[in-house]
Amino acid sequence: MSTPTVTKASAAADRGPVPAGAPRPARRRGRNPVATLASHGILAAASLIALFPIAWLVYLSLGPDKDDYLHPERIWGR
């Protein structure tokens, strides 16, 4: 069974070339500042979660061997 498909490339080719002085489509003016702050907060938290194991490995590799198997509360002097 064969069905014809239309791709974006073929649809764009039907319109012809774009003139040099053609206006660009309007961009979104701005985002909600709360949404921007929330997305940046989520990305920052995800980055910290992703980088914590790497930082932990570096900390353990540079510290004395006796501290390798201690609970984190004892290492940070709580």
Side-chain angles (χ1 to χ4, degrees):
M1 180 158 96
S2 174
T3 58
T5 57
V6 177
T7 62
K8 288 183 179 182
S10 65
D14 293 340
R15 289 183 284 201
V18 178
R24 292 181 173 222
R27 297 178 78 178
R28 281 179 63 177
R29 288 289 170 199
R31 292 184 63 165
N32 183 359
V34 175
T36 303
L37 185 63
S39 65
H40 281 86
I42 291 170
L43 288 172
S47 298
L48 290 175
I49 291 170
L51 291 176
F52 179 76
I54 297 169
W56 186 257
L57 288 173
V58 169
Y59 176 78
L60 287 179
S61 69
L62 297 176
D65 289 338
K66 66 182 176 96
D67 292 340
D68 285 352
Y69 298 104
L70 290 178
H71 196 271
E73 293 173 356
R74 294 186 201 138
I75 293 175
W76 288 328
R78 198 171 182 206

